[in-house]
Amino acid sequence: MSIRGGCDLKVTVLLFASYREKAGTGSLELDAPDGSTVGDVATRVSAMYPGLAAEPSGIVVAVNREYRDHGHRLSDGDEVAFIPPVSGGAA
């Protein structure tokens, strides 16, 4: 699936917990043009699965197991993990 047209990069998107439940899958392979960012992927996946997140810019993302901001540029073969917000706990 193309994010913005060309397909210079291939990234794997991992979806955890509530994101996995809402999307009905735990992983996706996406083709993306060179220069794509974490934010581009978050926007595209949110469009593919309406209701995934209230605001794509609020999705916490790790690239290759390191937290990254939405301006981070992706490289071919990157693993992009969407990490849902955690709440709860004992007072």
Side-chain angles (χ1 to χ4, degrees):
M1 176 151 311
S2 177
I3 293 174
R4 277 188 279 164
C7 30
D8 302 320
L9 310 174
K10 183 172 287 289
V11 297
T12 301
V13 178
L14 303 177
L15 304 168
F16 292 100
S18 62
Y19 293 149
R20 176 189 303 243
E21 292 171 15
K22 290 175 183 176
T25 185
S27 67
L28 307 164
E29 294 289 328
L30 294 178
D31 293 326
D34 190 36
S36 292
T37 65
V38 167
D40 295 330
V41 170
T43 298
R44 179 65 186 139
V45 174
S46 292
M48 291 169 56
Y49 300 101
L52 185 75
E55 186 62 42
S57 63
I59 296 174
V60 174
V61 179
V63 178
N64 302 325
R65 299 182 181 175
E66 292 186 28
Y67 288 103
R68 298 291 183 188
D69 64 36
H70 282 233
H72 178 80
R73 288 181 62 161
L74 298 169
S75 298
D76 188 44
D78 277 349
E79 179 184 83
V80 181
F82 285 19
I83 304 163
V86 178
S87 63

